[in-house]
Amino acid sequence: MSAPAPSPVPASASGRAWDVHRLQSAEGRTFRAWDVHRLPSAEGRTFLVTGGNAGIGCFVAEQLAATGADVVVAGRTAARAEAAMAAIRIRYPAARLRHCLLDLADLAALERSVRELGPVRLDAVVLNAGVALDDPPRRETADGHEAMFGTNHLGHFALTHRLAPLLAPAARVVTVGSFAARSERLDLDDLQSLRDYRPKRAYGRSKLAQTLFALELDRRLRAAGSGVRSVVAHPGGALDSLTPARPGVHGGAAGRRLLGAPAGLVLQGKEAGAWPMVRAVLDPAVRGGQVWGPRVFGLRGEPKLERPQAHYTDRATAARLWAASARLTGVHA
């Protein structure tokens, strides 16, 4: 890792300062209102971002690195991680970054990935990586699981178990949810989409499974008296065409941005899409079991606390999913 750490993210060009009103945490402590353009310092803390080498994950890693924290970019290839870290260092030359090989579609490799982290204490883990919705045919992971469910949910389920000994006493596990989970329901008798595979539905269900897991994890942590908090955050509607350029990672071609301009009225780019996850990691007022998303219709804007959808908090479904996930991954936590 390089040193020294960079300064916190500077104020916007307009010089907008912190809002004057204040927020209170569950413990009664008072904090300044959140400002995405003035992040607090996180020097001395270590964060791991799965899929931090591309897309929203890269912007999460960039914004966390700007706070002075040590950021582990976890991804499948060293080359893509190096490109992402180089892009981040263009903006923040003193960013403290390192790469960890991680393939969530290969459960047997997860233990090796965690060993490679070494004796590190993690203050937050952002569970971001996964198979995106691009209308793929049904595929399977190295373990024979449907790719989206197996990577997005089962991979993170097993990884979280293996990372548990590395988590700081008050660490946060931030699961990246999706707007797509709102309209889906799990079929607990067909989690692998063997009977009826439809890409859009399979993706939405995989993100719903992640959300159910995250909220169930928080309930179990609290029942065990743990100070670790599990939080869900989602990016809303984040489009490539509205995303700023990052050399070697995201092109941000002018023509594509122009075509995406009308969508900017209701959607946003991936830089803004990262804001809810970054707040879930850094804001002292965030509590376990919460869901955070963009302010405007859950699709764009600064992050705010959301009321969870009713099916997100279905404890019976979450318990059955947990048991099935433990069986499918061989993890009994």
Side-chain angles (χ1 to χ4, degrees):
M1 296 183 187
S2 59
S7 300
V9 173
S12 62
S14 64
R16 182 158 62 92
W18 293 92
D19 295 337
V20 295
H21 66 283
R22 296 178 181 270
L23 300 174
Q24 277 198 329
S25 73
E27 296 80 19
R29 292 178 294 168
T30 301
F31 304 98
R32 292 185 182 274
W34 188 258
D35 185 339
V36 298
H37 301 291
R38 290 178 63 93
L39 300 178
S41 172
E43 291 188 49
R45 300 167 70 189
T46 301
F47 306 132
L48 184 148
V49 182
T50 72
N53 58 332
I56 288 171
C58 184
F59 286 98
V60 171
E62 177 183 283
Q63 291 169 32
L64 292 177
T67 68
D70 295 299
V71 179
V72 181
V73 176
R76 290 184 297 173
T77 67
R80 292 187 69 182
E82 290 293 342
M85 292 189 293
I88 293 171
R89 288 191 176 108
I90 290 174
R91 294 174 63 82
Y92 303 103
R96 302 170 64 91
L97 302 160
R98 70 180 174 109
H99 171 238
C100 171
L101 283 173
L102 177 70
D103 185 356
L104 292 165
D106 185 354
L107 296 176
L110 295 183
E111 185 173 0
R112 181 172 65 250
S113 297
V114 173
R115 282 201 309 269
E116 290 176 356
L117 285 172
V120 65
R121 186 192 73 169
L122 296 175
D123 296 283
V125 177
V126 181
L127 305 179
N128 162 79
V131 178
L133 176 61
D134 58 0
D135 203 30
R138 189 184 185 281
R139 297 191 297 262
E140 293 187 349
T141 68
D143 304 284
H145 303 304
E146 188 278 312
M148 286 189 275
F149 178 73
T151 304
N152 300 359
H153 170 61
L154 293 179
H156 280 129
F157 179 91
L159 177 67
T160 304
H161 167 71
R162 297 200 181 282
L163 289 175
L166 305 182
L167 296 178
R172 296 184 186 181
V173 178
V174 178
T175 295
V176 179
S178 172
F179 206 82
R182 292 190 176 194
S183 59
E184 296 298 339
R185 301 296 185 274
L186 286 187
D187 182 348
L188 290 164
D189 296 318
D190 190 27
L191 291 171
Q192 307 278 7
S193 299
L194 287 167
R195 290 198 299 261
D196 185 11
Y197 173 79
R198 303 179 212 171
K200 182 178 179 181
R201 187 176 67 176
Y203 174 77
R205 287 181 172 181
S206 75
K207 301 306 289 185
L208 174 57
Q210 284 189 266
T211 300
L212 286 164
F213 159 63
L215 299 182
E216 176 68 9
L217 174 62
D218 191 71
R219 286 190 287 268
R220 292 182 182 228
L221 288 167
R222 283 188 282 113
S226 172
V228 176
R229 286 171 276 184
S230 177
V231 185
V232 178
H234 72 89
L239 300 180
D240 281 337
S241 58
L242 298 171
T243 300
R246 292 294 183 269
V249 180
H250 186 272
R256 185 166 57 181
R257 291 199 303 271
L258 184 62
L259 289 173
L265 297 173
V266 291
L267 304 176
Q268 61 190 359
K270 293 183 177 179
E271 180 183 36
W275 291 344
M277 284 69 82
V278 171
R279 181 168 188 175
V281 169
L282 296 174
D283 188 350
V286 170
R287 291 180 291 165
Q290 292 181 335
V291 178
W292 289 82
R295 183 172 301 278
V296 183
F297 304 119
L299 292 173
R300 68 183 301 271
E302 298 196 5
K304 71 162 188 171
L305 181 63
E306 294 185 351
R307 181 186 297 276
Q309 301 290 307
H311 61 296
Y312 292 178
T313 59
D314 183 338
R315 296 192 178 195
T317 298
R320 289 182 61 190
L321 173 66
W322 186 287
S325 302
R327 184 179 68 253
L328 291 168
T329 60
V331 169
H332 299 287

